[in-house]
Each structure stands twice: as C-alpha cells, then as structure tokens.
Amino acid sequence: MKAVVLEHFGGPEELHLSEVERPEPGPGQVRVHVRTAGVNPFDGKVRSGSMEAVFSTPLPAVLGSEVAGVVDAVGPDVTGVAVGDAVFGFADSGSYAEYALASSVAHKPEGLSWEHAVTLPVAGETTDRVLRLLNVRPGETLLVHGAAGGVGSVAVQVALAAGLRVIGTAGRDNQEHVAALGATPTTYGEGLVERVRALAPEGIDAVFDVAGKGALPDSIELRGGTDRIVTIADNAAGELGVVFTGGPQQRSAERLAELAGLAVEGRLRTTVAATFPLADAAEAHRISDAGHVRGKIVLTV
C-alpha cells in the first residue's frame, strides 16, 4: 500500500510517499480502507523530533492518529463492526496511509462527511481528558490558548456546554471565529496578561494550552502559580512545573458516537481548514506548523 513515511526527524520535507506492507488486523482490531486522515499540530512536533523526550517515536514511522474509512478486514474478537461498515476513530497504526489498523472506532452517521468525521477523535478525547485534569466546574472561567484550532474549537464548545465561561486566544484573523463559537476572544502575544485581566477581573480558574506558543509564563502569572494549568503542546512544561498531557489515553467508541451525533444535530461545530491528497502531506504539515489554522487539516486518500 501507499503510505507517507518519516525516516528522519526534521522538517516537512522529511515526509515522503512510499510503498509499505499492508498491515493485518490482530485481536480486537479492524483494518480500515482510509478515506480521510486528520493532521494535528502534535504530528508536526513528532515529525520534528521535539517530542522525543516525552513521546518517543521509532523510525521509520507512519504518522497520524485519526482515521475515517471503510472496514475491509476484521481481526479476532471484534464485535459490533463488520466488513463494509463506514467508521471513524483512532488509528493504532499510522493513518497517513491507504490502510490503517484501529481498535476504537464508531460507525459514521450518513449525515457526517468523511472530512468532518476525522475532526472529532483527538479533539474530543483530548478535551475530555484535560477538562477532567483541570477539575473544572460550572460557573468557572477557563482560558483556552489556541481556541480556533481543531482541538481548541471543540474544547471551547464542550466547556461552554458544561457551564463554563471561556476566554479563547487566537490570531487576529480568527477573533470572529472564536466569538462565533461562544467564547470571548482575545489575541496572543505581548500584553496578554493585561487583556485577560480586563476581560476577567475576577480571575481565571483554569488554563488549557492547546497552542504551545509560549503562553505558559503568562498563564502562570494569571493563575498566581502552576495549579490548574494543563498543556498538550508546550514541551517547556516540565521546567516550568506545568502539567503536560499527551494522548490519546481513553479511546472510547461510545464517546465517539456521542460526538458524531452532536455534530450531525448541529450542536457541535467542527471546521475543516483545508484538505490535501496523501501525496501532499508535507505541504499540509507546512501549513500546520505555521500555526493560526482555523479548524482541522485533513488528508484525503
């Protein structure tokens, strides 16, 4: 099969299309004929080698943790999913490929496109995990760094549905988008502490850093310490005493199905920033690395 292979850590140019052996499903796994694969900022950090200290990746590797497609083979002990089913979920093998293995998938509703289905797994699981770690409660104020991205936009909506007030940071071009999600928007960069204090004079109760763009020192100042700050993207967390969480850790097919239902009903909005064919994965990474992406970048197979 064709797959995008990473043989050396480095820039996007290290990603190249190659022929590799098609994987065979093991116990509890299905093999998915991939239609779409999600591109996450985390993938770029893995590709660059900057995550090796906290998330080691043996090379050569096929990246990608989100997949949507049609089941074409099932392993032993698989129940509830059959060959020919349209599914989406978490890839056990890299999803930047024509075929991928998966053990946590949900059926894709007809009203959910392949592109939008693949926006849900990482964003949903990451949001649920971080909000648990932050122990947020209704009525509290949550600061989300990177509120316009694929994970950030879902985090904003889930937090609002849980009764939180959300302040979301984003680039200037994404201020209206963040406001449309229901958050109070503000920009990154110099003066962030003063801007957030003006928006929330009563203080910030918790911080979710999706962006990893160096906002942790400001977040610590706003919180008066490192308590209730979690990042998924800034590998300076350890030296600053901030919790870093990588994942996904709790892959729930039931939660995937719930998120898909909310998306079909229009109660959870996801945005596809751009789509690229598999052969253009390097270009997809260049755009993702640049930041300020509105929504999820998707590879089509």
Side-chain angles (χ1 to χ4, degrees):
M1 69 172 185
K2 288 183 173 61
V4 176
V5 177
L6 175 69
E7 295 182 342
H8 307 282
F9 294 122
E13 69 280 358
E14 296 295 344
L15 297 172
H16 63 274
L17 200 63
S18 183
E19 288 285 339
V20 302
E21 187 174 350
R22 188 167 60 179
E24 295 297 329
Q29 288 183 319
V30 299
R31 186 172 66 204
V32 179
H33 191 180
V34 180
R35 296 290 298 272
T36 55
V39 175
N40 290 287
F42 184 78
D43 300 348
K45 294 179 184 295
V46 171
R47 184 212 70 235
S48 72
S50 67
M51 297 304 295
E52 280 299 283
V54 292
F55 185 86
S56 182
T57 302
L59 299 179
V62 177
L63 303 181
S65 58
E66 295 172 296
V67 65
V70 178
V71 175
D72 92 311
V74 298
D77 305 322
V78 171
T79 59
V81 182
V83 171
D85 286 355
V87 298
F88 73 104
F90 297 99
D92 297 338
S93 62
S95 61
Y96 293 11
E98 290 183 312
Y99 294 87
L101 301 179
S103 53
S104 181
V105 296
H107 290 95
K108 184 186 77 66
E110 286 189 9
L112 187 65
S113 71
W114 295 112
E115 291 81 5
H116 282 272
V118 85
T119 68
L120 295 171
V122 165
E125 190 279 336
T126 302
T127 294
D128 290 346
R129 171 164 35 95
V130 172
L131 294 186
R132 282 194 300 270
L133 287 170
L134 290 172
N135 192 28
V136 291
R137 294 175 289 274
E140 291 189 326
T141 299
L142 173 69
L143 175 61
V144 177
H145 295 301
V151 174
S153 60
V154 170
V156 165
Q157 294 173 83
V158 171
L160 289 169
L164 300 171
R165 181 197 178 200
V166 180
I167 296 174
T169 68
R172 294 189 183 280
D173 292 343
N174 285 325
Q175 295 294 294
E176 290 185 8
H177 176 68
V178 172
L181 294 173
T184 301
T186 191
T187 53
Y188 290 113
E190 187 177 349
L192 175 64
V193 170
E194 290 73 23
R195 289 193 297 277
V196 172
R197 282 178 174 161
L199 293 170
E202 72 287 354
I204 297 296
D205 297 297
V207 180
F208 180 4
D209 174 33
V210 183
K213 299 290 186 181
L216 291 183
D218 284 347
S219 301
I220 293 169
E221 185 174 347
L222 285 164
R223 284 286 301 136
T226 59
D227 182 50
R228 299 184 80 190
I229 302 173
V230 173
T231 181
I232 64 168
D234 195 331
N235 54 9
E239 61 192 66
L240 294 172
V242 170
V243 172
F244 180 101
T245 178
Q249 298 172 4
Q250 295 187 354
R251 299 179 170 187
S252 167
E254 291 76 16
R255 179 57 168 160
L256 288 174
E258 181 181 348
L259 292 170
L262 292 172
V264 169
E265 293 166 9
R267 295 163 60 193
L268 177 63
R269 293 174 50 192
T270 62
T271 302
V272 176
T275 61
F276 294 89
L278 195 61
D280 291 344
E283 182 61 23
H285 269 233
R286 288 187 187 96
I287 292 175
S288 178
D289 287 356
H292 304 300
V293 174
R294 182 182 301 177
K296 174 63 65 71
I297 295 174
V298 175
L299 298 178
T300 59
V301 182

